[in-house]
Amino acid sequence: MADYHDDLRLAHVLADAADAATMDRFQALDLKVETKPDMTPVSEADKAAEELIRGQLQRARPRDAILGEEYGVEGSGPRRWVIDPIDGTKNYVRGVPVWATLIALMEAGETGFQPVVGVVSAPALGRRWWAAKGLGAYTGRSLASATRLGVSQVSSLEDASFAYSSLSGWEEQGRLDGFLDLTRACWRTRAYGDFWPYMMVAEGSVDICAEPELSLWDMAAVAIVVQEAGGTYTGLDGRHGPHSGNAAASNGLLHGELLSYLNQESPEA
């Protein structure tokens, strides 16, 4: 098995640099925010953080490709770093502390590119999570000060906590009825949003979560953390990994039921 210790250490260095840049502009009164063609916001901090990470990667891993939300793909080859400089930009620009920098390394294999290293750093929450293939998943302040993560053992939906982002996407896809049925079947539901529910699944504080529409940079880092914590991460189609344009994550015990509910077709669909 490949040794990803050096890549993981580099990902932490990248996250440290990004944290300093994003926190410096968080809640700044003169923060510049633009609207992208897809009508989502992008701040100067998003761009600066991605530029910073790209610059360090070009020096430290010049042969690796890079895919980032703000500046697209650069390079090619069997290794690709995937970056979301600020996951939760809408929170960031409103001063809500629930946002994170997502950094993943993906490698080509028999099933296509799959994440092998992931760091999720949420400096405004004072939290960081990370994982590498075969090395487990952890949370803490640093590699030297960390607690290993493990998913819950909840095996019944009536005892399960379900986290999600919003209702609109489920309705647009004709999945709202199944989504609502799932919320009724669960013990507890909360709309935490963005990266956070997946980290809660990895920690065992939430049992299932799902989102109807996502990009690769939203998913690559969180997928490996969930998987290395003992959980299951798929698309709504059941395909393993971050390639389906949407996501379902669980402790593994509830994954079949999670997908079954969310794939119910609404009468009007």
Side-chain angles (χ1 to χ4, degrees):
M1 181 177 289
D3 185 345
Y4 297 106
H5 283 94
D6 286 346
D7 293 313
L8 183 57
R9 280 191 288 268
L10 174 59
H12 275 271
V13 171
L14 299 173
D16 288 342
D19 285 356
T22 52
M23 285 300 291
D24 183 61
R25 298 299 292 155
F26 183 51
Q27 297 182 318
L29 296 178
D30 61 343
L31 181 72
K32 295 182 177 65
V33 182
E34 303 170 359
T35 300
K36 294 191 286 189
D38 64 0
M39 302 308 292
T40 60
V42 57
S43 74
E44 61 181 87
D46 291 80
K47 295 180 178 180
E50 184 167 324
E51 288 170 352
L52 187 64
I53 294 170
R54 282 177 178 269
Q56 293 198 22
L57 280 173
Q58 287 160 355
R59 291 188 293 273
R61 296 289 191 274
R63 295 182 179 180
D64 293 352
I66 304 171
L67 168 64
E69 179 177 10
E70 307 308 334
Y71 295 106
V73 179
E74 180 179 355
S76 60
R79 287 167 47 100
R80 175 181 291 180
W81 294 85
V82 180
I83 306 158
D84 189 342
I86 299 179
D87 181 53
T89 298
K90 292 178 181 178
N91 282 346
Y92 184 89
V93 302
R94 290 296 301 271
V96 179
V98 184
W99 49 271
T101 294
L102 312 183
I103 300 169
L105 171 63
M106 302 185 74
E107 283 193 345
E110 293 181 359
T111 58
F113 278 90
Q114 292 295 339
V116 294
V117 169
V119 172
V120 177
S121 192
L125 293 176
R127 298 294 309 276
R128 184 177 291 185
W129 304 261
W130 63 89
K133 186 177 180 180
L135 299 178
Y138 297 84
T139 185
R141 294 287 184 175
S142 67
L143 283 166
S145 177
T147 301
R148 187 154 188 168
L149 299 176
V151 296
S152 76
Q153 296 302 305
V154 173
S155 59
S156 172
L157 279 181
E158 64 183 13
D159 298 321
S161 181
F162 171 43
Y164 61 97
S165 286
S166 64
L167 292 176
S168 58
W170 301 108
E171 186 171 24
E172 290 166 3
Q173 293 189 7
R175 300 179 188 264
L176 184 59
D177 286 353
F179 173 87
L180 293 175
D181 285 346
L182 176 60
T183 66
R184 297 181 186 109
C186 291
W187 165 66
R188 192 170 192 262
T189 60
R190 286 293 183 273
Y192 298 106
D194 302 306
F195 68 93
W196 207 6
Y198 302 97
M199 298 303 94
M200 291 181 181
V201 169
E203 291 177 334
S205 54
V206 162
D207 310 300
I208 55 176
C209 68
E211 287 182 272
E213 187 174 1
L214 293 167
S215 298
L216 181 60
W217 48 76
D218 298 314
M219 298 185 282
V222 302
I224 184 69
V225 175
V226 170
Q227 290 164 352
E228 286 294 318
T232 300
Y233 189 102
T234 72
L236 298 177
D237 57 4
R239 180 184 178 190
H240 283 271
H243 294 289
S244 299
N246 45 48
S250 75
N251 62 6
L253 301 174
L254 299 169
H255 209 79
E257 288 181 278
L258 171 62
L259 294 180
S260 179
Y261 272 99
L262 295 179
N263 284 309
Q264 290 181 29
E265 290 191 359
S266 299
E268 67 275 12

